[in-house]
């Protein structure tokens, strides 16, 4: 499959172990996949272990989602140049994009991609930077067989098995993979491969795996109408309790596959010949993010945590007609003090998960 993708001009990107974590990186060989690796995740904890097993995808998502591949952590949006006559000109800096095939995308990240497509492409002002990268993507999903203890995508309806948004989807068994196409491009690629026909027993094993993956998830978001419940509890004492623990570090927003806050700034050339207008990821947990004309609107951690949670699970519905959470659990694992979004939402809304 990797060879067939390369023949079609795609650069393959896939999960690999780097610095004790699993990240997406250019993938030139299946030998680079994390074969025989398991993960252990809990609030504020992430560890990899060698299991010695034959599987390449027996772990849940690491810190990185598809987000950095589409919404660049830092990029120049335009350049301003001053000519010899003193006049200034604005130059577009659209990215030069080559086709990329991402191997091993999980269902929650496909759901997050649908949300980011709404944010960046389906509004009144589609983002051409995101759009150029989005068009060049070929997505090979892998259904989750080993959700982490922090995953709760079953309760948000976004996983653990992928149902849409992929070109190909894989199910991993000890003896190999079952593969199915989800798009014309995926079906055309399958035509290029020499594949066997799966047996009834293999298909039953895959179905069992889907059911087991749902049943191993123990966390869930409260089932009531979270938007109304959160806004009815804006003065709940729990906001201060969580603020007493929260470091306002912004880790939760950096790893979240749907967060899109960013800041913009101009970098002037020292010789005065021009400048670059740059965009980079920002977080609603920083003090600067809510600074407007001499006033920091959310000056304390309580108001920033409340803003994050009520936006993600509440007003996101008003803006984008969907929740902003796909249950990937990253914000729980990568929070240095182990704050758990399911627990906090449950406490504020009076419905303990
Ligand atoms: S809020 Fe947390 S669990 Fe929900 S999508 Fe973002 S990182 Fe994942
Ligand atoms: S909730 Fe956790 S990850 Fe998010 S800002 Fe607070 S301490 Fe950092």
């Amino acid at each position: 499959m990797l060879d067939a993708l390369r023949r079609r001009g795609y650069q393959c990107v896939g999960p690999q172990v780097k610095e004790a974590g699993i990240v997406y990186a250019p993938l030139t060989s299946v030998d680079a996949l994390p074969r025989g690796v398991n993960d252990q995740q809990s609030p504020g904890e992430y560890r990899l272990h060698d299991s010695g097993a034959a599987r390449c995808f027996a772990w849940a998502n690491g810190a990185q989602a598809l987000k950095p591949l589409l919404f660049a952590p830092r990029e120049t949006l335009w350049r301003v140049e001053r000519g010899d006559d003193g006049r200034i000109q604005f130059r577009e800096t659209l990215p030069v994009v080559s086709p990329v095939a991402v191997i091993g995308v999980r269902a929650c990240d496909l759901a997050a991609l649908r949300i980011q497509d709404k944010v960046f492409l389906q509004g009144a002002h589609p983002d051409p930077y995101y759009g150029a990268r989005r068009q060049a993507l070929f997505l090979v999903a892998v259904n989750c067989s080993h959700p982490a203890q922090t995953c709760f995508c079953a309760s948000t309806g976004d996983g653990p098995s992928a149902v849409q948004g992929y070109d190909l989807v894989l199910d991993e068994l000890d003896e190999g993979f079952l593969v199915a196409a989800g798009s014309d491009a995926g079906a055309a690629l399958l035509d290029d491969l020499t594949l066997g026909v799966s047996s009834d027993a293999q298909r039953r094993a895959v179905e069992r795996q889907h059911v087991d993956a749902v049943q191993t998830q123990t966390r869930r978001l409260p089932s009531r109408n979270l938007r109304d419940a959160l806004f009815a509890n804006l003065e709940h004492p729990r906001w201060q309790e969580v603020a007493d623990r929260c470091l306002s570090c912004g880790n939760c927003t950096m790893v979240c596959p749907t967060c899109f806050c960013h800041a913009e700034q101009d970098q002037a050339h020292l010789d005065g010949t021009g400048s670059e207008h740059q965009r980079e990821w920002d977080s609603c947990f920083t003090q600067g993010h809510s600074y407007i004309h001499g006033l920091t609107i959310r000056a304390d951690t309580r108001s920033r945590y409340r803003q994050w949670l009520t936006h993600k699970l509440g007003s996101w519905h008003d803006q984008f007609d969907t929740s902003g959470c796909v249950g990937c659990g990253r914000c729980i694992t990568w929070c240095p003090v182990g704050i758990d979004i399911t627990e906090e939402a449950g406490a504020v809304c009076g419905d303990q998960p």
Side-chain angles (χ1 to χ4, degrees):
M1 186 177 74
L2 297 184
D3 289 342
L5 284 164
R6 277 192 287 267
R7 280 197 299 277
R8 285 170 146 75
Y10 287 100
Q11 182 201 17
C12 295
V13 167
Q16 288 154 69
V17 176
K18 304 252 184 233
E19 296 179 17
I22 293 178
V23 297
Y24 286 121
L27 183 71
T28 50
S29 157
V30 286
D31 295 335
L33 291 171
R35 187 185 294 279
V37 173
N38 283 153
D39 61 345
Q40 181 186 329
Q41 300 192 38
S42 59
E45 187 194 8
Y46 179 91
R47 292 283 181 277
L48 297 182
H49 304 286
D50 283 331
S51 70
R55 295 192 180 204
C56 298
F57 296 95
W59 41 269
N61 262 328
Q64 191 188 10
L66 289 174
K67 184 166 84 172
L69 300 174
L70 292 147
F71 170 35
R74 179 180 294 127
E75 72 181 319
T76 297
L77 299 186
W78 70 76
R79 232 176 238 117
V80 185
E81 290 166 8
R82 186 160 64 183
D84 294 339
D85 59 359
R87 295 164 70 92
I88 59 170
Q89 292 205 318
F90 288 79
R91 308 251 184 234
E92 250 184 3
T93 55
L94 283 173
V96 179
V97 174
S98 328
V100 172
V102 189
I103 316 296
V105 185
R106 305 306 176 99
C108 58
D109 285 343
L110 291 173
L113 184 64
R114 282 196 295 283
I115 293 175
Q116 290 228 312
D117 284 353
K118 280 190 177 207
V119 174
F120 285 102
L121 299 180
Q122 293 166 20
H125 305 286
D127 184 300
Y129 306 86
Y130 179 98
R133 298 188 184 100
R134 180 70 177 94
Q135 269 193 343
L137 269 194
F138 185 97
L139 297 169
V140 181
V142 171
N143 286 328
C144 270
S145 54
H146 292 70
Q149 197 213 87
T150 45
C151 295
F152 56 98
C153 61
S155 84
T156 62
D158 296 303
S161 298
V163 291
Q164 57 175 313
Y166 53 80
D167 294 293
L168 293 176
V169 62
L170 304 174
D171 276 289
E172 187 172 29
L173 295 173
D174 287 345
E175 65 265 35
F177 293 93
L178 269 67
V179 58
S183 71
D184 291 344
L189 192 108
L190 284 192
D191 286 343
D192 277 4
L193 306 180
T194 310
L195 300 170
V197 177
S198 57
S199 67
D200 287 347
Q202 287 170 327
R203 286 193 291 275
R204 276 198 302 276
V206 160
E207 277 165 27
R208 259 197 318 278
Q209 212 159 259
H210 291 189
V211 173
D212 289 350
V214 170
Q215 288 176 347
T216 50
Q217 294 191 11
T218 51
R219 282 184 162 73
R220 64 174 180 83
L221 276 178
S223 51
R224 52 192 297 198
N225 179 337
L226 280 179
R227 183 195 172 283
D228 292 350
L230 286 169
F231 285 114
N233 283 291
L234 289 179
E235 300 307 325
H236 197 289
R238 184 73 177 206
W239 298 119
Q240 187 54 51
E241 288 166 31
V242 69
D244 290 342
R245 296 171 59 209
C246 174
L247 308 173
S248 244
C249 66
N251 262 18
C252 47
T253 56
M254 294 295 117
V255 295
C256 179
T258 66
C259 279
F260 56 83
C261 282
H262 55 268
E264 296 189 16
Q265 59 190 359
D266 289 291
Q267 294 281 354
H269 300 173
L270 284 178
D271 62 4
T273 56
S275 66
E276 294 191 357
H277 188 81
Q278 295 178 338
R279 168 170 75 182
E280 65 183 7
W281 288 5
D282 197 8
S283 168
C284 54
F285 279 93
T286 65
Q287 197 167 29
H289 195 72
S290 67
Y291 177 85
I292 300 176
H293 307 305
L295 172 71
T296 299
I297 295 171
R298 291 183 287 275
D300 58 14
T301 302
R302 174 183 174 275
S303 56
R304 288 183 217 148
Y305 189 87
R306 188 178 68 176
Q307 155 68 20
W308 180 66
L309 201 76
T310 53
H311 184 215
K312 182 100 1 209
L313 303 178
S315 48
W316 210 296
H317 286 279
D318 303 324
Q319 283 181 288
F320 305 113
D321 208 20
T322 177
S323 165
C325 177
V326 296
C328 72
R330 288 185 175 96
C331 56
I332 305 173
T333 297
W334 297 96
C335 173
V337 292
I339 291 172
D340 178 343
I341 184 174
T342 62
E343 209 176 297
E344 298 311 316
V348 170
C349 300
D351 177 353
Q352 296 291 339

